[in-house]
Amino acid sequence: HVQLVESGGGSVQAGGSLTLSCVVSGNTVSHSCMGWFRQISGKEREGVASINRHGRESYADSVKGRFIISKNNRKNILYLHLYSLKSEDTAMYYCAAESNACSGGLQAYEYTRWGQGTQVTVS
């Protein structure tokens, strides 16, 4: 049974930083495509950053140069490091995983496992 549990969200001032964590159980981050998505109430879920099995990273244009995705294969944890935060980064952030055939892109339909989300608020 695959479980993803996010943490690290919170309230921060514009220009500040946060690190989100996603602890994965029941599967390994090294053998999965992993992604971070965000969603504002009433809007579609947006792909923010992803990393495939080979370590290839992808980022949404809106976060390039400000967010970094990384993973610790030994601890089975996925991270999202958020820098230079803006008010428009305010959203619920979700961790996603796919262990079957996957490209590691930024489309939500590519992932079948999801965490419960962690809220990021930038003021």
Side-chain angles (χ1 to χ4, degrees):
H1 178 62
V2 179
Q3 267 196 314
L4 287 70
V5 180
E6 303 98 331
S7 63
S11 296
V12 64
Q13 289 189 336
S17 304
L18 280 174
T19 294
L20 307 183
S21 301
C22 174
V23 177
V24 181
S25 58
N27 208 335
T28 57
V29 297
S30 61
H31 294 129
S32 302
C33 292
M34 304 292 301
W36 285 98
F37 291 76
R38 64 187 181 187
Q39 188 170 24
I40 300 171
S41 180
K43 294 194 174 182
E44 287 189 5
R45 195 164 291 191
E46 172 193 22
V48 174
S50 64
I51 185 166
N52 70 5
R53 292 187 177 97
H54 308 292
R56 179 179 61 86
E57 301 168 19
S58 299
Y59 296 94
D61 288 342
S62 58
V63 306
K64 275 181 185 175
R66 299 190 300 119
F67 291 8
I68 299 173
I69 189 170
S70 67
K71 57 182 180 176
N72 185 316
N73 290 338
R74 183 175 63 83
K75 294 184 177 180
N76 224 30
I77 300 176
L78 179 74
Y79 299 100
L80 184 67
H81 307 277
L82 298 77
Y83 302 102
S84 301
L85 282 161
K86 305 175 181 179
S87 57
E88 51 262 45
D89 295 319
T90 295
M92 184 72 79
Y93 283 71
Y94 297 90
C95 170
E98 179 55 54
S99 57
N100 293 321
C102 56
S103 63
L106 294 173
Q107 300 299 316
Y109 67 77
E110 298 183 52
Y111 301 85
T112 56
R113 304 293 184 181
W114 294 84
Q116 82 290 348
T118 185
Q119 177 70 35
V120 172
T121 302
V122 185
S123 58

